[in-house]
Amino acid sequence: MKKVLMLLTGVFFIAVSCTENFEEMNTNRNAVTAPQPGQLFNRIVTTPVFDYQRNVNLYADFYAQYWANTVSGFESGRYEYVDGWAFTGWNAFFVDGLANIKSLQRIYGDDPFYNNLMQVLEIWEVSEWARMLAYYGDLPYFENGFASKVPYNSERDIYYDLFDRLNNAVNAINSNDANQFIMPSADDLIYGWDLEKWKRFGNSMRLRLAMRISNVDPGKAQTEAAAAINAGVMQSNDDVAHIPAWVNGFYDYLRNMAIFWDNIRCSKTFTDMMYSQTSMEDPRARIWFNYKESSPMFGSETLEGVENGYNILPADANDFATMNESTTYIGFTGNDAEIDHYQPVMLYAEVIFLQAEAALRGWTGGDPTSIMQDGIRASMEFVGVEPAAATAYINEIPALSGSNEAQLKQLITQKYIANFPNGREAWVDFRRTDYPDLTLPIEGVSSAATVAAGTYVKRVRYPDNAFNTEADMLPADQNTIDTNRMDNRLWWDIADTKTKSNGLMNSNF
């Protein structure tokens, strides 16, 4: 089945704000104005996978310590900001993804025949705003349109609006309406136009965002979390939302970086967790990781990773564990046919862990330990672990015990493992809860970083272009390069990891 993953010639990109003269720069004067819905939707849902190395790996993947850098001169692991890297993600969202969303809304949004399409598009757009908010904080949101410059809105106001949009969109989908537009299943790269799955994804996204604000706005978080669960979240690994990439394309995903380019190795933080949770090696470890045959460590009984944050790399850095070239993990192998790999948006296991946390907080019913175990099993099944091995591992995981903080640390640590390789969301959880135990850069925070020594990175700063063209629109306390620091906490990140006592925070309950 043929997929469209190329620039859509013949698409009129509606101009959105965030650069001076945006409309003039991004309008193809010779383009036609009515692409097929599926073609443009296809382009929209693949935007998050563009330029993975610069958009994700060099930032969130390192910050979450799933991976470590092995390239001299790449200092993002020590929290340096490189505008040429980070701007690609900003640009991909505002100039490509959001512009295409607005095009689809403009062309088809007023026709009731396309109501279900508009609601699915709304759910996806919310997930994309949530992705950007987790990197930057305040964003130009409410007045995004044709204006060259618009003010940046507060995270709180945006999150509240996103909750409303998700609720309204899910409720407005009518999967039984035979008179609605039906997208060819091949054009919906996420769910093959299964509208019930889209509704479950929308509710699951609502749950994710509810837990994201759990510390800063617990009343709203509880209300939204309970509503999302009651409305119906993901039910199985068949509901996983991940973006396919095709064999005949070029994608700088993890195989290239780990195997062909030797840019990364597993983080020691993550490989150590493969052995610290029980008396056995985590059965997912060898599916995800191995040593290259050329490594002197090939055949070792345990997997060892590279510590994060070197300034001068060890000479043997590339001898350490890397992505398993012979893996059976669907995220790394695709479908062994035309799909090369899948990049995760939301895993079913994550949704179970979110429900376990809601139960731990007393917001919903159920036993947090049992729900956590379900989440581990769902991860094992998705990764491809044999059921007997999964059961043996789960039977050794201790029940949640101790204070709420101690239980949350154990829960988030297991969630962190299960969420691999979704570095974006793992970094969110660390900033939100300060769990699991990550490490500061081994050779210290770079002197060129806007992160104080001994402090974890908290966000990615706005690109230089924002200061050059719309400094008067930026948040008043972050409208200069000097004040727009990467150790500024986002709205929902209320505590500093340095306040841990005996390995626990006192701020999550």
Side-chain angles (χ1 to χ4, degrees):
M1 92 188 133
K2 186 177 180 181
K3 311 293 188 196
V4 181
L5 282 181
M6 58 186 292
L7 282 171
L8 291 174
T9 57
V11 174
F12 173 78
F13 294 109
I14 286 190
V16 294
S17 63
C18 300
T19 74
E20 195 77 41
N21 302 320
F22 186 98
E23 181 176 359
E24 181 179 350
M25 291 166 56
N26 292 281
T27 299
N28 182 347
R29 301 180 187 281
N30 298 315
V32 298
T33 59
Q36 292 298 309
Q39 290 180 310
L40 195 47
F41 187 76
N42 181 298
R43 173 72 179 184
I44 288 165
V45 299
T46 58
T47 299
V49 309
F50 297 166
D51 215 338
Y52 181 90
Q53 184 176 35
R54 290 187 291 180
N55 289 348
V56 184
N57 188 249
L58 288 164
Y59 289 97
D61 281 354
F62 287 177
Y63 298 163
Q65 295 185 5
Y66 281 153
W67 301 95
N69 170 53
T70 59
V71 179
S72 296
F74 282 9
E75 291 289 324
S76 58
R78 299 180 65 226
Y79 305 158
E80 283 191 15
Y81 171 84
V82 179
D83 191 67
W85 296 348
F87 181 69
T88 60
W90 180 273
N91 204 51
F93 173 71
F94 283 109
V95 179
D96 199 327
L98 187 60
N100 284 328
I101 287 170
K102 289 183 176 294
S103 288
L104 203 54
Q105 291 167 338
R106 177 183 62 82
I107 297 167
Y108 298 103
D110 292 334
D111 189 340
F113 177 66
Y114 294 101
N115 172 70
N116 284 341
L117 172 63
M118 291 300 104
Q119 306 314 320
V120 167
L121 186 64
E122 182 83 341
I123 292 168
W124 186 258
E125 182 184 344
V126 168
S127 74
E128 283 291 87
W129 278 111
R131 179 171 68 87
M132 295 295 288
L133 285 164
Y135 258 38
Y136 298 101
D138 296 353
L139 289 172
Y141 174 82
F142 286 105
E143 298 178 38
N144 244 306
F146 285 101
S148 60
K149 295 196 300 184
V150 298
Y152 284 47
N153 305 112
S154 73
E155 291 179 77
R156 179 193 180 280
D157 290 347
I158 299 173
Y159 275 100
Y160 270 52
D161 192 62
L162 295 181
F163 287 127
D164 289 342
R165 292 175 69 176
L166 285 171
N167 180 51
N168 293 338
V170 168
N171 289 334
I173 291 176
N174 186 350
S175 56
N176 297 317
D177 187 349
N179 296 318
Q180 279 286 302
F181 165 77
I182 298 175
M183 182 181 292
S185 60
D187 286 342
D188 177 4
L189 303 182
I190 308 299
Y191 288 128
W193 208 239
D194 186 326
L195 295 177
E196 292 304 309
K197 288 186 177 182
W198 273 109
K199 290 167 69 173
R200 292 194 288 272
F201 173 67
N203 291 326
S204 300
M205 183 61 60
R206 188 178 179 186
L207 177 60
R208 175 193 276 181
L209 300 188
M211 300 314 299
R212 190 177 291 181
I213 68 169
S214 57
N215 289 333
V216 69
D217 198 346
K220 179 66 171 176
Q222 179 176 357
T223 297
E224 296 295 338
I229 293 170
N230 290 336
V233 293
M234 290 183 181
Q235 298 177 345
S236 73
N237 282 318
D238 288 340
D239 289 340
V240 163
H242 53 188
I243 304 168
W246 312 107
V247 170
N248 62 353
F250 173 77
Y251 305 99
D252 62 342
Y253 195 48
L254 296 167
R255 187 184 301 106
N256 282 353
M257 281 170 270
I259 303 300
F260 302 131
W261 302 345
D262 279 336
N263 285 179
I264 58 173
R265 287 295 180 265
C266 305
S267 167
K268 183 178 187 298
T269 300
F270 194 54
T271 53
D272 284 356
M273 286 188 188
M274 300 289 99
Y275 301 95
S276 64
Q277 303 302 299
T278 68
S279 65
M280 65 183 73
E281 179 183 83
D282 189 309
R284 292 165 289 192
R286 297 286 173 166
I287 297 175
W288 285 328
F289 308 123
N290 205 345
Y291 298 99
K292 282 191 171 185
E293 290 188 13
S294 59
S295 168
M297 302 172 76
F298 183 76
S300 297
E301 292 185 0
T302 59
L303 296 165
E304 295 183 43
V306 175
E307 293 187 89
N308 288 82
Y310 279 105
N311 181 30
I312 300 176
L313 288 160
D316 63 350
N318 283 322
D319 290 342
F320 287 81
T322 188
M323 179 178 169
N324 183 355
E325 292 186 75
S326 302
T327 184
T328 57
Y329 169 53
I330 186 174
F332 292 166
T333 64
N335 64 355
D336 294 322
E338 76 273 20
I339 299 175
D340 180 76
H341 64 265
Y342 293 94
Q343 296 189 25
V345 177
M346 178 178 283
L347 302 176
Y348 170 56
E350 178 196 342
V351 178
I352 300 178
F353 277 100
L354 291 168
Q355 293 175 82
E357 183 178 346
L360 177 62
R361 292 179 180 276
W363 294 353
T364 59
D367 174 51
T369 293
S370 296
I371 302 172
M372 176 187 72
Q373 292 169 342
D374 290 342
I376 299 170
R377 190 174 298 279
S379 171
M380 297 275 185
E381 290 174 352
F382 188 68
V383 171
V385 174
E386 291 294 326
T391 297
Y393 177 86
I394 293 168
N395 286 344
E396 282 205 18
I397 294 292
L400 299 178
S401 63
S403 67
N404 282 340
E405 285 287 348
Q407 294 182 61
L408 182 65
K409 180 177 181 178
Q410 183 180 349
L411 179 66
I412 296 296
T413 300
Q414 286 298 325
K415 181 185 178 186
Y416 172 79
I417 298 171
N419 244 350
F420 178 82
N422 192 348
R424 290 184 178 112
E425 204 56 33
W427 185 36
V428 167
D429 274 341
F430 177 68
R431 288 174 289 164
R432 176 175 70 89
T433 68
D434 295 286
Y435 307 127
D437 288 332
L438 303 185
T439 61
L440 288 165
I442 187 171
E443 293 189 347
V445 173
S446 170
S447 61
T450 57
V451 177
T455 302
Y456 288 92
V457 63
K458 294 294 190 174
R459 62 187 290 273
V460 176
R461 73 170 179 82
Y462 302 124
D464 290 350
N465 188 60
F467 300 100
N468 295 334
T469 63
E470 55 188 18
D472 55 327
M473 299 289 105
L474 293 171
D477 60 346
Q478 298 187 96
N479 60 3
T480 68
I481 290 179
D482 290 337
T483 59
N484 189 232
R485 297 176 56 85
M486 289 173 60
D487 55 10
N488 292 343
R489 293 198 295 267
L490 298 186
W491 171 59
W492 40 263
D493 179 3
I494 66 168
D496 193 322
T497 306
K498 291 186 290 185
T499 64
K500 277 184 177 177
S501 175
N502 297 318
L504 298 176
M505 303 295 292
N506 62 0
S507 54
N508 286 294
F509 291 90

